[in-house]
Structures are given as C-alpha cells and as structure tokens.
Amino acid sequence: MDVRRLRLLRELADRGTVTAVAQALSYTPSSVSQQIRALQAEVGVRLTEPAGRGLRLTDAGRALATRADEVLAALDRAEAELDTYRSTPRGVVRVAMFPSGAFLLLPGLLRRLAEHPKVRLEARDIDMTPSEVTRLTADFDLVVTHRDDQAEPHDGERVAVTPLLREPLDVAMPPGHPLAGRERVELTELVGEPWLSVDIGFPVDDVLRSLAVRTGVRPTVVQRINDFRVTEALVAAGHGIALLPRYTIDSAQLVMRPLAGVRAGRNIEVVSRKGATERPAVQLVLDALIAEARSRTGDSSSENCPGKTDMITG
C-alpha cells in the first residue's frame, strides 16, 4: 500500500469530505478521489461509498484508517531513528497554540529555543475547541490546548498527551466592585451580575457552565469575547465580570479573586501524534514548553495544582 494514499484515507476519516482534504493538503478534489480509488485497487476492498453528493468510509475503510495511524506512527519512529544519527536536533517543528496559551508561553519558548539555531519553530495561534484538537495533529507536530477540569481527556489510543500545568480561573472585576475587597468570592454572591464569557464550546465557558450545574446558579452572559485583552478592557470599564486565567492576565486595571468552595481551572496540555515526539527537534521543543510552563506558574500552593505542585511533567 502506498503510504501517501493511506495518509489521504486517514485525512478523509478526520476531515469528513474530499473537498476538505483537498483544501488542507493543497490537492484538487479529483486527485484526492483518484488516489483513494487507487488505494481501493491496491487492497482489493471497497473503502468508500456514495453519501449524497460526497463519499463516506465503509466499515473496511474505517478499519484501515485506524490502522493507518499505526503506520504513520511507525514512519515517525523511523524518521526519529534516523535523526539520532545527527549530533544535534534540527529541522522545522510546527506548533499550534490556543491564543491565550500563546500569550502565556510563546515568548519564553522562543527565548529558550534561541540557544538551538538548527531548530526552527513555526507557531500559529488557533482558536480551538477540544473536539478539534486531534484533527490538528495531522497538520502540526505539537498542539498546545486547554480543557475544563471536568472535560473528558483526549483519546490516548490515537494521540500522546503531555500535561503542562493547571491554571486556576479567577473572577475578574473592576476595582470599585462591591466584592473587590473580599479574599474569595462565593458564586452565589454573583447572582444577577453581567458575565463576559467566550464562545460556547470553549473551555472557559465550559467551566462557567459546569459551575452553574454544580451550584444551581445560572450566570447571565451579556457578551461572548474570545480575546482576553478585550475582556479585560470591558471588565475594567464596568461592563461585566469574567472568569479569567490567573497566570495569563497581568492587568493593574482589574481585581482578581478566587471563587470560594469550588475548584475552577483549565488544564493546559500538549497533544501530538504518537511517535512525533521521538524526533529530537520535536522533543526539544516539548521539553522547552514544559520548562516554560514551570517558570510561568511560580507557585507551589495546593490550590493551583493536583497534589502539592501546579506542574505535571509526565
């Protein structure tokens, strides 16, 4: 079987349509369809079937797409073994980061990698929901993502997950707010407050909704803004309150207070294809991310992390 055709089949399983695969890989839809047909001829089993105006995988196609993950991981391991013959890590490492994670980690990461001129980082900030992360590993060596404390972990059968840190989410309010003088704020004290949140499906909003389920207090969301810098300005101007990440926000305009009686936070993780981190350059970048995350917390209090420390370097 042609490995390139296996990769196209895996992409079709992830992206759903021939057109989406073609756009992602800079192919034409007809060339993608031709390669899939050629793969069917190679294996002697029907891998796709018509579905409306498009195609969908048959049971055999889905089974082969799953095995394609193993083949592609084996190729990554083979490439990593070849890299061990070189004296230093080298090459391009592609990293996707959710925007506030990039704000928190990317400047320090680039500073650390400046000591390794043969490794070139190509970073992109991408607004991503947890459900989109696995698909992104097809295009990036490392995906820095985040999820709510209560969210399901990523599928360890398909991807490798490296926890970086748990970042508490605090209530941000303007200095003149009646609760600004408290050390902690009860969620029930915020009934009727206008909340600023992010788009539905993103982790910070998941935290707010999960707190509502646990406490019975339904927050009133008046604006949904994904850029935390905009949210900071709106909170400072008195247009609402928000849950904002403790280590990412650095604004003298706001008062940040933890919630009392509940545990609110987001888990920042690196997700990658299995075998990708065996390539020395990718492992180097992952190690630098872990070190940068450790430096950013600067706190070993039990509230901020599982156990005694905020850092998990598994």
Side-chain angles (χ1 to χ4, degrees):
M1 287 179 282
D2 188 296
V3 172
R4 291 171 300 175
R5 292 167 183 163
L6 278 177
R7 193 180 296 276
L8 286 175
L9 184 71
R10 177 68 265 172
E11 291 288 334
L12 181 59
D14 281 340
R15 300 181 188 275
T17 67
V18 168
T19 300
V21 174
Q23 289 175 345
L25 301 182
S26 300
Y27 283 62
T28 63
S30 61
S31 65
V32 172
S33 298
Q34 182 181 4
Q35 292 299 315
I36 295 295
R37 286 195 299 270
L39 180 60
Q40 288 185 144
E42 286 178 344
V43 300
V45 176
R46 190 171 184 83
L47 302 176
T48 63
E49 58 189 9
R53 299 177 64 183
L55 293 176
R56 65 185 174 198
L57 296 182
T58 63
D59 289 344
R62 286 190 292 272
L64 183 57
T66 298
R67 294 301 182 187
D69 279 337
E70 300 174 11
V71 173
L72 297 175
L75 288 174
D76 279 332
R77 287 192 293 272
E79 184 178 350
E81 186 171 349
L82 289 176
D83 278 343
T84 61
Y85 289 93
R86 302 186 178 103
S87 59
T88 58
R90 65 189 68 198
V92 176
V93 178
R94 297 167 299 166
V95 177
M97 310 178 82
F98 66 99
S100 62
F103 181 85
L104 178 68
L105 298 171
L106 186 55
L109 176 63
L110 290 171
R111 184 175 61 253
R112 293 174 187 275
L113 294 179
E115 302 174 6
H116 304 275
K118 293 185 178 180
V119 175
R120 182 164 64 88
L121 185 73
E122 289 186 357
R124 283 189 56 194
D125 64 320
I126 298 177
D127 264 334
M128 62 184 83
T129 61
S131 62
E132 297 171 320
V133 171
T134 298
R135 176 179 59 80
L136 287 171
T137 63
D139 300 320
F140 295 92
D141 300 301
L142 301 173
V143 179
V144 180
T145 183
H146 58 154
R147 62 181 177 85
D148 175 8
D149 282 336
Q150 283 74 45
E152 290 293 321
H154 297 286
D155 183 4
E157 293 296 318
R158 288 196 54 197
V159 294
V161 181
T162 303
L164 289 180
L165 61 95
R166 179 185 179 275
E167 185 172 22
L169 295 171
D170 295 330
V171 180
M173 60 188 80
H177 193 280
L179 298 175
R182 302 282 188 87
E183 289 187 6
R184 295 174 178 270
V185 180
E186 297 280 351
L187 193 61
T188 53
E189 294 178 298
L190 300 171
V191 173
E193 291 281 351
W195 282 90
L196 306 170
S197 190
V198 297
D199 283 343
I200 294 172
F202 287 84
V204 173
D205 192 62
D206 289 345
V207 173
L208 191 59
R209 289 188 293 112
S210 66
L211 290 176
V213 170
R214 290 159 57 190
T215 63
V217 178
R218 184 179 180 86
T220 301
V221 177
V222 294
Q223 303 290 345
R224 293 191 179 275
I225 306 292
N226 280 5
D227 188 332
F228 286 149
R229 293 296 156 191
V230 176
T231 300
E232 284 184 47
L234 294 177
V235 172
H239 296 296
I241 62 174
L243 278 179
L244 291 177
R246 180 177 301 174
Y247 307 132
T248 305
I249 300 304
D250 181 21
S251 174
Q253 306 177 82
L254 307 181
V255 174
M256 303 283 286
R257 293 291 181 262
L259 282 166
V262 292
R263 185 173 168 84
R266 63 178 183 177
N267 296 282
I268 300 179
E269 302 167 324
V270 180
V271 179
S272 60
R273 300 182 308 276
K274 286 194 171 181
T277 54
E278 294 179 26
R279 191 175 139 221
V282 177
Q283 184 63 56
L284 175 72
V285 173
L286 179 59
D287 290 342
L289 274 168
I290 292 170
E292 183 60 23
R294 181 183 294 113
S295 73
R296 294 298 295 175
T297 62
D299 189 351
S300 60
S301 67
S302 60
E303 176 192 357
N304 295 336
C305 294
K308 299 205 179 255
T309 173
D310 209 4
M311 180 56 47
I312 310 172
T313 57

